[in-house]
């Protein structure tokens, strides 16, 4: 049976625009289309540079058999006086997209290029419509029944097996209809009432086959009813939908969304509305309208035949498209000869060959830059701009969070416990012996005990003095206020508790929560529901420079008496503090639900033999579990033990339910990952923190942890981007779309007190990537009536089916390949570290990493604090999430050399900052930080010393962008800039200082200024006993510096306090 294919290509030359005028200012254009050895031409239009040919369909046959991979369109000028033709430009039309999309019309404009023999440059463009068809004749490629017949005759297969194989043939095509749109406005608001000229486009992925509708003029609710057919064999692919306004001068994006193939398969052939999102699929709360689509993922014989034909006889097309050039002719001969050998090899080989042709080709490890049409380049530029804007938004949000961060220093928390009322009776007489205990950051204090009461007045103030707090440490602090019933011979009974967010109180006016009534709940006993009493208290959080507000006690006493009289007038039935009746007194029970999917890249906490290890290439293990803490309640997953040398990735598929009585005074949610130990305390791996107000709220009635669902409901997770947060829980199955959260902590192998700050609080003080966890989170507002007011753990719905299917159904967030490119130039003010007995400082190496992928630069000598690497390296094709928020930071580590190899300094660079620059950023000095877990006695840098800076040129972005010539780096030129130096003179004028912090016992200090530059230092004179010195001195440095200003080292200016009997103190 021959492998021939009857096919044809239909071409229509629509128009030209802005064509070149020849001598005399005339242009009588016509177009000639060449396809292989065949050619057709349009009519001649006289005296126009923007011809409208609208030619008849030109038909070219045997495209696949002839190995044709492009059209050559030549635009000519008909010289009527000379009766000759003159070429004024040509365009090459790539047929790869058309041949992979049979029956789909491609309508593109192509810029004209200079043709051979032309003496001037071409100008203008030509618009061409191309459609590829495969016939249904008997001579076409064998269909599925022919293949099954071959296999049956050759191997004697069971007919029932063959029948089952036909029914379960893998889908390879998305078939559907773009029905209509609604609510489409250019400014995302219906108030203007402006109508738009809307059209919709659909593409498989970012670079796959594409189709689009016609333009619907002057309407906000267009109706297209346009069918389409797009080849797609990848079950994890995403369908990119865009709706644009076709303006006269430019096109404007109205909205976009992404639909996973998994979701299409789950709801095949259904007509469904899809909500449109903003640039980069951002969910910004703006109503951008919706699009109605009918989609199916099916097996299509035409697509299978087209793919088979291309795989068998069009290999030269792919070779030339990827830069193979003339080599394609040789490949064609090889294909023909190999085809004959296959035919001579027997039917079994032929059946295997047919199956292999239908298998999806693997992507190359290294992407190749392809020549794009003007339209394709415009789409690529638009996508890059969208990614740049999204990265800029993520970076701005991160900068805003840093601006709101609390400052480091000493803090004091004052808790004034005033009184308690309506306490639940814990003793047999219906009364209690209450006392109040306050706990924050591992410190606890308590009031006195009041005997046999249900209401008590304490009027006690508890003070917590917190010294040298790091910003992240005080920001994540939670104050827990618990009321206990005192028992002499048994454990004290918990009456109820409440928790408070320390950061939220500090951000209030006057940094206090004053005379506040709070309800007490007991989340540990299922038989106790609702509030167990009320507590009145005041909480004040004072930090560096804060002033406590003064309150007039007499005036407040009179106001309190008036409130009590008003309460007595109501019969004393109202809740304390004049709170309203009903829901406020009862409280509303909701549940915070954490969906724990899996973790990846976790560090080795123990070696295989059970002893503690620090990673490396040796085998190790981790006994990991996650614990969620909120409002005094905690709940953890089961322990998952994982062993191995590579990626330690435990799987959980569990949901944690934590009861919350709203309104709540605490907003901090803590999620910790721990390593379980049998004979010692569990070791924290890393922690994450969330804001309760930012968690998605689900108001579906009757949702519970033991509910039922079907596996089909899980397909909603396939839409990794663009999934609406308002979709019903019945379709979500196991919470909202999961998201990767990156973990940071102390260097691998550092635990206990040394790593406590980093492993417990993370933040910018955490130096090392410690893996990531896949989580989802929501607040269930109307839980099932069977749910009790206690925390609990439950498996996922259909978790057995999920475990059996793995993540093949598309639950994981979408990923894409990235390149990380780094030019390490030099380091300045690098600490000089010596090993015992060494005569010279240790050499320094540099490591640049993203996640668990690393670039390493060699050890170089440290000369007076200057280390020169001047090397370029690239980390290629790293699989990372599409969403910028889920990409790990790029970490830079300074490593001291042998014999004692150790990380001494680091810095973390947000991926969003580098993605915003898109391989075009200039070299930048990155300031290093001393690792808090590696003190000077452990071989690191003293916390008071300057850890230095490194000059890096970093590029981070999509792999397809990295190979684009637009983003290419000239390695020789970049390296030359570092060594192309000239003599410079640096003068530093030191004038005065003000408001310096006191360092001596007399409240003053003896300041002087030290300046460091290029490994040298100079200082001013010492001014004694002052906080506002007047220096007026000039310090001068003469050095050889690079001519490029971006390569010049930083100037380090420090203020020191001079001490006669001890070491000088940096300020």
């Amino acid at each position: 049976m021959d492998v021939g294919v009857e096919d044809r290509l239909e071409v229509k030359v629509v128009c030209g625009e802005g064509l070149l005028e020849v001598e005399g200012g005339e242009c009588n254009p016509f177009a000639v289309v060449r396809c292989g050895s065949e050619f057709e031409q349009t009519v001649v239009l006289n005296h126009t540079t923007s011809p409208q040919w609208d030619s008849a369909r030109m038909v070219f046959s045997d495209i696949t058999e002839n190995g044709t991979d492009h059209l050559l369109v030549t635009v000519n000028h008909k010289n009527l006086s000379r009766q000759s033709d003159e070429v004024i430009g040509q365009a090459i039309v790539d047929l790869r997209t058309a041949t992979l999309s049979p029956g789909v019309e491609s309508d593109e404009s192509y810029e004209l290029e200079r043709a051979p023999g032309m003496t001037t440059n071409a100008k203008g463009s030509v618009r061409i419509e191309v459609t590829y068809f495969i016939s249904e004749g008997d001579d076409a490629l064998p269909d599925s029944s022919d293949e099954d017949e071959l296999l049956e005759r050759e191997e004697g297969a069971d007919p029932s097996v063959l029948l089952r194989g036909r029914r379960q043939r893998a889908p390879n095509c998305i078939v559907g209809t773009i029905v209509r749109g609604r609510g489409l406005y250019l400014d995302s608001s219906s108030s203007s009432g402006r109508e738009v000229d809307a059209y919709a486009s659909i593409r498989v992925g970012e670079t796959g086959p594409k189709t689009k509708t016609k333009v619907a003029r002057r309407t906000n609710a267009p109706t297209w009813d346009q069918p389409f057919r797009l080849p797609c064999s990848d079950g994890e692919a995403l369908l990119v939908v865009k709706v644009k306004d076709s303006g006269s001068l430019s096109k404007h994006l109205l909205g976009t969304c992404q639909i996973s193939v998994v979701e299409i398969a789950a709801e095949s052939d259904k007509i469904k509305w899809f909500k449109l999102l903003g640039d980069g699929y951002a969910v910004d709360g703006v109503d951008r309208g919706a699009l109605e689509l009918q989609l199916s993922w099916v097996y299509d014989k035409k697509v299978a035949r087209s793919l088979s034909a291309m795989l068998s006889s069009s290999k030269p097309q792919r070779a030339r498209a990827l830069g193979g050039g003339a080599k394609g002719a040789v490949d064609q001969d090889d294909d023909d000869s190999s085809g004959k050998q296959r035919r001579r090899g027997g039917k079994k080989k032929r059946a295997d060959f047919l199956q292999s042709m239908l298998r999806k080709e693997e992507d190359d490890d290294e992407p190749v830059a392809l020549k794009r049409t003007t339209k394709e380049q415009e789409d690529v530029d638009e996508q890059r701009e969208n990614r740049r804007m999204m990265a800029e938004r993520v970076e701005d949000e991160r900068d805003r969070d840093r601006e709101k961060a609390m400052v480091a220093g000493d803090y004091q928390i004052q808790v004034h416990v005033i009184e308690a009322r309506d306490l639940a009776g814990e003793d047999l007489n219906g009364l209690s012996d209450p006392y109040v205990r306050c706990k924050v950051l591992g410190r606890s204090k308590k009031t006195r005990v009041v005997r046999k009461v249900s209401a008590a007045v304490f009027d006690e103030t508890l003070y917590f003095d917190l010294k040298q707090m790091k910003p992240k440490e005080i920001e994540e602090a939670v104050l827990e206020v618990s009321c206990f019933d005192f028992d002499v011979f048994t454990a004290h009974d918990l009456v109820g508790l409440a928790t408070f967010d320390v950061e939220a109180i500090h951000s209030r006016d006057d940094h206090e929560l004053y005379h506040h009534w709070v309800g007490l709940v007991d989340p540990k006993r299922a038989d106790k529901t609702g509030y167990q009493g009320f507590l009145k208290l005041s909480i004040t959080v004072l930090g560096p420079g804060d002033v406590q507000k003064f309150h007039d006690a007499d005036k407040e006493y009179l106001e309190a008496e008036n409130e009590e009289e008003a309460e007595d007038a109501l019969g004393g039935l109202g809740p304390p503090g004049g709170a309203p009746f009903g829901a406020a007194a009862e409280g509303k029970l909701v549940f915070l639900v954490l969906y724990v999917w899996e973790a990846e890249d976790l560090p080795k906490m123990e070696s295989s033999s059970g002893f503690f290890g620090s990673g490396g290439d040796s085998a190790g293990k981790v006994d990991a579990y996650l614990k969620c803490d909120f409002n005094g309640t905690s709940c953890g997953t089961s322990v998952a033990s994982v062993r191995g040398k590579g990626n330690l990735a435990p799987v959980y598929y569990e949901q944690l339910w934590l009861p919350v009585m709203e309104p709540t005074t605490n907003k901090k949610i803590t999620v910790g990952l721990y390593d379980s130990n049998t004979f010692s305390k569990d070791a924290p791996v890393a922690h994450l923190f969330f804001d309760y107000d930012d968690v998605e709220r689900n108001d579906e009635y009757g949702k519970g942890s033991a509910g039922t669902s079907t596996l089909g409901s899980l397909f909603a997770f396939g839409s990794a981007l663009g999934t609406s947060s308002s979709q019903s829980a019945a379709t979500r199955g196991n919470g909202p779309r999961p998201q990767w959260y990156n973990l940071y902590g102390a260097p691998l192998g550092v635990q206990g007190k040394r790593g406590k700050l980093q492993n417990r609080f993370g933040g910018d003080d955490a130096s090392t990537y410690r893996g990531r966890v896949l989580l989802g989170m929501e607040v269930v507002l109307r839980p099932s009536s069977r749910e009790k007011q206690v925390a609990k753990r439950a498996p996922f719905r259909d978790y057995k089916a999920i475990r059996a299917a793995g993540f093949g159904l598309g639950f994981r967030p979408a990923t894409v390949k990235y390149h990380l490119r780094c030019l390490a130039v030099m380091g300045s003010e690098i600490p000089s570290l010596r090993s015992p007995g060494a005569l010279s400082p240790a050499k320094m190496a540099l490591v640049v990493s993203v996640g668990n992928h690393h670039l390493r630069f060699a050890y170089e000598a440290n000369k007076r604090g200057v280390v020169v690497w001047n090397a370029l390296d690239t980390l290629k094709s790293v699989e990372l999430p599409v969403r910028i928020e889920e990409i790990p930071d790029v970490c830079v580590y300074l490593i001291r050399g042998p014999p004692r190899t150790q990380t001494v300094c680091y810095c973390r660079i947000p991926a969003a900052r580098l993605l915003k620059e898109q391989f075009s950023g200039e070299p930048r000095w990155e300031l290093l930080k001393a690792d808090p877990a590696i003190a000077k006695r452990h071989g690191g840098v003293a916390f008071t010393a300057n850890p230095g800076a490194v000059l890096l040129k970093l590029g981070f972005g999509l792999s397809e962008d990295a190979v684009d010539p637009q983003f290419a780096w000239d390695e020789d030129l970049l390296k030359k800039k570092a060594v192309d130096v000239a003599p410079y003179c640096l003068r530093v004028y030191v004038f005065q200082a003000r408001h310096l912090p006191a360092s001596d016992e007399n409240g003053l200090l003896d300041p002087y200024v030290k300046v460091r530059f290029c490994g040298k230092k100079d200082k001013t004179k010492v001014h004694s006993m002052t906080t506002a010195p007047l220096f007026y001195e000039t310090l001068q440095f003469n050095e050889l510096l690079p001519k490029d200003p971006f390569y010049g080292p930083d100037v380090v200016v420090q203020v020191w306090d001079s001490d006669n009997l001890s070491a000088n103190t940096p300020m």
Side-chain angles (χ1 to χ4, degrees):
M1 188 180 298
D2 197 3
V3 193
V5 176
E6 291 186 358
D7 58 357
R8 71 181 187 277
L9 189 73
E10 294 187 2
V11 181
K12 179 179 181 181
V13 184
V14 182
C15 63
E17 185 175 353
L19 302 183
L20 179 69
E21 294 180 349
V22 297
E23 186 176 358
E26 288 189 349
C27 186
N28 305 317
F30 68 96
V32 177
V33 180
R34 294 185 180 273
C35 180
S37 60
E38 302 179 76
F39 69 91
E40 298 280 352
Q41 76 175 50
T42 67
V43 298
V44 179
L45 297 181
N46 296 329
H47 309 298
T48 177
T49 58
S50 298
Q52 298 289 330
W53 288 297
D54 283 327
S55 68
R57 294 279 177 178
M58 306 175 186
V59 180
F60 304 95
S61 59
D62 298 329
I63 304 301
T64 303
E65 181 177 347
N66 296 330
T68 306
D69 66 343
H70 69 276
L71 297 175
L72 177 62
V73 181
T74 306
V75 180
N76 302 273
H77 161 66
K78 174 71 73 174
N79 193 321
L80 302 179
S81 61
R82 299 180 182 177
Q83 294 297 313
S84 62
D85 302 334
E86 183 177 346
V87 179
I88 58 176
Q90 70 175 18
I92 298 176
V93 180
D94 195 332
L95 298 180
R96 286 175 297 166
T97 300
T99 53
L100 283 173
S101 309
V104 178
E105 181 183 281
S106 171
D107 185 353
E108 302 285 349
S109 294
Y110 300 88
E111 295 291 331
L112 293 180
E113 301 175 350
R114 183 174 177 176
M118 290 182 60
T119 58
T120 59
N121 293 327
K123 60 180 292 188
S125 62
V126 60
R127 178 181 165 195
I128 302 173
E129 295 179 359
V130 178
T131 311
Y132 177 69
F133 297 94
I134 300 178
S135 71
E136 297 282 356
D138 296 335
D139 295 333
L141 201 72
D143 62 10
S144 58
S145 60
D146 296 329
E147 297 177 37
D148 293 334
E149 184 179 354
L150 283 171
L151 294 173
E152 183 177 4
R153 291 201 305 264
E154 177 65 23
E155 302 180 8
D158 186 352
S160 63
V161 175
L162 291 173
L163 179 61
R164 185 167 61 251
R166 295 191 193 106
R167 292 174 180 172
Q168 296 180 353
R169 188 165 301 280
N172 62 358
C173 184
I174 295 178
V175 180
T177 303
I178 305 175
V179 184
R180 55 178 173 161
R182 67 184 181 193
L184 305 180
Y185 294 92
L186 187 59
D187 57 355
S188 302
S189 173
S190 59
S191 58
S192 63
R194 178 187 167 184
E195 297 175 334
V196 297
D197 300 331
Y199 72 94
S201 66
I202 296 183
R203 183 190 292 270
V204 178
E206 297 291 344
T207 58
K210 176 182 177 181
T211 186
K212 64 180 180 180
T213 67
K214 296 181 179 179
V215 177
R217 301 290 181 183
R218 301 180 62 81
T219 178
N220 303 116
T223 299
W224 295 290
D225 282 328
Q226 180 166 325
F228 68 91
R229 184 182 302 267
L230 295 175
C232 178
S233 301
D234 186 0
E236 298 182 356
L238 295 173
L239 208 62
V240 180
V241 182
K242 293 183 179 180
V243 181
K244 295 184 178 181
D245 171 44
S246 178
S248 57
L249 299 178
S250 61
K251 299 175 182 178
H252 304 281
L253 181 68
L254 301 178
T256 182
C257 70
Q258 285 190 336
I259 309 167
S260 73
V261 175
V262 176
E263 186 175 359
I264 296 173
E267 301 180 354
S268 182
D269 211 31
K270 289 186 179 180
I271 299 178
K272 185 177 178 181
W273 285 97
F274 294 89
K275 185 177 179 181
L276 298 178
L277 307 176
D279 283 346
Y281 318 106
V283 182
D284 50 10
V286 178
D287 185 8
R288 303 179 186 275
L291 195 66
E292 188 178 32
L293 303 173
Q294 183 179 18
L295 303 171
S296 299
W297 191 31
V298 299
Y299 174 77
D300 188 277
K301 290 191 292 184
K302 284 187 177 182
V303 175
R305 291 172 180 175
S306 175
L307 180 60
S308 301
M310 290 194 66
L311 290 174
S312 61
S313 58
S314 295
K315 191 175 294 183
Q317 300 181 24
R318 296 194 299 276
R320 286 195 292 272
L322 297 177
K327 187 179 179 179
V330 179
D331 293 340
Q332 178 66 50
D333 296 338
D334 293 341
D335 284 348
D336 292 342
S337 61
S338 63
K340 295 177 182 178
Q341 293 173 1
R342 281 192 294 270
R343 287 192 290 272
R344 288 194 298 266
K347 295 180 179 180
K348 185 177 186 304
K349 288 185 177 181
R350 170 150 182 79
D352 295 339
F353 170 66
L354 290 172
Q355 290 183 353
S356 66
M357 288 191 300
L358 298 175
R359 194 177 301 123
K360 187 182 70 172
E361 292 183 294
E362 296 291 336
D363 295 332
D364 294 333
D365 291 337
E366 176 67 16
V368 180
L370 301 177
K371 185 175 180 180
R372 302 185 180 95
T373 65
T374 303
K375 179 61 178 175
E376 290 173 340
Q377 187 62 45
E378 289 178 357
D379 292 341
V380 170
D381 292 341
E382 181 181 358
Q383 294 166 10
R384 288 173 178 169
E385 179 63 19
N386 290 339
R387 288 195 295 269
R388 188 197 65 78
M389 294 175 61
M390 179 179 291
E392 187 173 13
R393 175 184 60 81
V394 173
E395 187 182 19
D396 290 343
E397 291 178 355
R398 189 160 179 165
D399 290 340
R400 284 194 295 269
D401 292 340
R402 287 178 176 173
E403 290 175 359
K404 295 187 297 183
M406 300 174 71
V407 299
D410 297 340
Y411 282 80
Q412 184 183 76
I413 300 177
Q414 304 173 9
V415 184
H416 182 197
V417 184
I418 303 173
E419 64 173 307
R421 294 187 187 180
D422 300 334
L423 298 179
E426 298 292 336
D427 297 335
L428 296 177
N429 56 8
L431 302 176
S432 298
D433 305 321
Y435 70 93
V436 176
R437 186 190 70 183
C438 298
K439 187 176 181 180
V440 60
L441 293 176
R443 303 165 174 86
S444 64
K445 294 187 178 183
K446 58 186 178 181
T447 67
R448 71 184 191 281
V449 178
V450 180
R451 303 287 183 176
K452 298 181 181 181
V453 294
S454 60
V457 175
F458 297 99
D459 195 19
E460 294 185 39
T461 302
L462 308 178
Y463 295 90
F464 295 88
D465 294 318
L466 309 176
K467 301 296 184 181
Q468 299 179 355
M469 289 286 103
K470 297 290 185 180
K472 194 68 175 178
E473 192 174 5
I474 190 64
E475 286 171 5
E476 308 303 342
V478 173
L479 174 66
E480 180 180 297
V481 180
S482 307
C483 182
F484 288 89
D485 171 52
F486 180 84
D487 291 321
V488 178
F489 300 106
T490 60
H492 301 178
D493 299 320
L494 175 66
V495 178
L497 60 83
T499 56
F500 299 86
D501 186 348
V502 172
E503 182 187 19
I505 295 176
H506 184 265
S507 63
R508 295 171 63 94
D509 295 338
D510 303 316
H511 315 295
E512 66 176 359
L513 184 68
Y514 190 68
H515 283 197
H516 181 77
W517 280 103
V518 61
L520 302 175
V521 297
D522 186 355
K524 299 180 180 180
R525 290 178 54 180
D527 59 334
K528 297 173 68 174
T529 60
Y531 288 132
Q532 303 301 305
F534 299 91
L535 189 65
K536 184 177 183 180
L537 43 72
S538 296
I539 303 174
T540 305
V541 180
L542 300 175
D546 295 337
V547 179
Q548 187 168 6
K549 181 181 178 180
F550 171 76
H551 293 276
D552 189 341
D554 294 335
K555 180 180 178 181
E556 292 172 354
Y557 178 76
L558 294 176
E559 292 176 352
E561 279 192 336
N562 294 333
E563 290 180 1
E564 289 183 0
E565 290 177 0
E567 183 181 334
D568 292 339
L570 295 174
L573 299 177
F581 287 95
E586 293 293 334
K588 179 183 178 182
L589 177 64
V590 300
F591 279 87
L592 171 68
V593 186
L594 179 68
Y595 301 91
V596 185
W597 291 79
E598 67 164 12
E600 278 189 352
D601 300 333
L602 298 188
K604 302 166 189 173
M605 302 300 290
E606 297 179 12
S607 66
S608 297
S609 59
F611 297 100
F612 180 79
S614 59
D617 296 330
S618 61
K621 72 169 185 175
V622 61
D623 303 319
Y625 68 93
L626 275 91
K627 184 174 71 171
C628 181
D629 295 276
F630 183 62
N631 263 5
T633 310
S634 64
C635 186
T637 67
S638 56
V639 177
S641 299
V642 184
R643 301 171 182 266
K645 291 185 178 181
N647 177 25
L648 300 183
V651 177
Y652 298 97
Y653 304 134
E654 294 178 345
Q655 45 186 317
L656 308 180
W657 287 63
L658 283 77
V660 180
M661 189 67 70
E662 291 190 341
T664 176
T665 53
N666 180 27
K667 305 297 182 182
K668 281 287 185 293
I669 304 171
T670 303
V671 177
L673 181 69
Y674 292 84
D675 176 55
S676 178
N677 295 316
T678 305
F679 302 105
S680 61
K681 188 176 180 181
D682 294 348
V685 177
H687 279 72
L688 298 168
F689 299 93
F690 303 90
D691 193 314
Y692 183 74
D693 291 337
D694 295 337
V695 179
E696 177 182 335
R697 301 174 76 82
N698 179 3
D699 61 352
E700 180 201 3
Y701 178 74
K703 183 180 175 77
S705 60
T708 59
S709 66
T710 62
L711 186 60
S713 67
L714 302 175
F715 280 98
F717 288 109
S719 183
L721 292 177
T723 303
S724 173
S725 61
S726 60
Q727 60 180 301
S728 66
T731 60
R732 288 186 297 198
N734 287 305
R737 183 188 67 83
Q739 179 176 339
W740 286 113
Y741 294 94
N742 299 302
L743 304 173
Y744 300 95
L748 301 184
V750 177
Q751 296 295 138
K753 292 183 178 180
R754 284 178 58 193
K756 178 180 178 181
L757 174 65
Q758 296 168 297
N759 295 337
R760 177 61 181 85
F761 297 102
D764 292 337
D765 289 324
S767 62
T768 306
Y769 173 78
R770 286 191 156 212
R772 59 181 184 172
V773 291
L774 187 62
L775 305 175
M777 191 180 301
E778 68 179 353
V779 177
V780 178
L781 299 179
R782 296 194 289 172
S784 168
S785 59
R786 299 188 299 271
E787 300 294 342
K788 303 297 183 181
Q789 191 176 326
V790 291
K792 65 178 180 179
R793 177 180 72 231
F796 274 4
R797 306 174 184 182
D798 296 322
Y799 76 98
K800 293 183 179 179
I802 300 176
R803 284 183 181 273
F807 281 107
L809 298 177
F811 297 159
R812 285 191 171 201
T815 61
V816 70
K817 292 182 179 179
Y818 291 84
H819 269 41
L820 174 62
R821 190 182 298 159
C822 177
L823 172 66
V825 183
M826 62 183 297
S828 178
E829 298 300 320
I830 301 299
S832 295
L833 304 175
R834 285 181 170 84
S835 300
L839 300 178
S840 60
K843 292 184 177 181
M844 293 292 181
L846 199 68
V847 174
V848 180
S849 67
V850 55
N852 275 347
H853 309 275
H854 310 282
L855 289 174
R856 303 180 185 274
F857 296 90
Y859 287 100
E860 299 293 344
N862 186 354
K863 300 178 181 179
R864 297 188 307 167
V866 177
V867 182
V868 178
W869 293 283
N870 205 20
L872 176 65
D873 200 358
T874 302
L875 194 61
K876 300 178 180 179
S877 301
V878 179
E879 285 279 353
L880 294 172
V882 171
R883 295 193 66 212
I884 298 176
E885 296 90 338
E886 301 179 24
I887 301 176
D889 290 349
V890 175
C891 299
V892 180
Y893 301 102
L894 188 66
I895 314 294
R896 66 175 297 175
R900 185 173 185 175
T901 303
Q902 190 172 21
T903 301
V904 292
C905 302
Y906 77 98
C907 72
R908 279 173 44 194
I909 305 170
R913 195 196 85 185
L914 301 179
L915 289 171
K916 184 178 68 173
E917 297 172 350
Q918 297 184 347
F919 294 100
S920 301
E922 297 292 344
R924 181 181 300 188
W925 284 96
E926 305 290 351
L927 301 180
L928 299 175
K929 299 174 61 176
D931 198 314
I934 306 177
K936 186 175 182 179
R937 66 178 181 273
H938 298 123
V941 180
F943 299 144
T944 57
N946 176 32
V950 290
L951 178 60
L952 304 176
K953 179 178 172 64
L954 290 168
F956 181 63
L958 298 181
S959 296
E960 62 186 45
D961 291 343
V963 299
D964 194 313
Q966 176 184 348
F967 298 115
W969 289 8
D970 189 333
E971 182 175 358
D972 295 334
L973 178 60
L974 292 174
K975 291 182 178 180
K976 184 179 178 181
K977 289 182 178 181
V979 297
D980 187 9
V981 297
Y984 285 88
C985 176
L986 172 70
R987 291 193 181 98
V988 181
Y989 300 95
V990 184
F991 294 101
Q992 58 180 308
R994 294 179 181 177
H995 309 301
L996 296 179
S999 179
D1000 299 334
E1001 295 180 354
N1002 56 8
L1004 302 174
L1005 72 162
D1006 306 318
Y1008 66 94
V1009 175
K1010 181 188 295 184
V1011 179
R1012 295 177 177 270
F1013 183 67
C1014 285
K1016 296 182 180 180
K1017 62 183 178 181
D1018 200 356
K1019 61 184 179 181
T1020 66
K1021 296 180 181 179
V1022 177
H1023 291 248
S1024 301
M1025 301 179 63
T1026 178
T1027 59
L1030 303 176
F1031 296 103
Y1032 290 94
E1033 296 184 42
T1034 301
L1035 307 179
Q1036 182 169 308
F1037 299 84
N1038 296 293
E1039 297 292 337
L1040 290 174
L1041 302 177
K1043 295 179 180 179
D1044 191 323
F1046 288 104
Y1047 284 72
D1050 283 355
V1051 180
V1052 180
V1053 180
Q1054 297 174 313
V1055 179
W1056 289 71
D1057 173 45
S1058 177
D1059 294 316
N1060 295 326
L1061 302 179
S1062 59
N1064 295 345
T1065 306
M1067 303 308 297

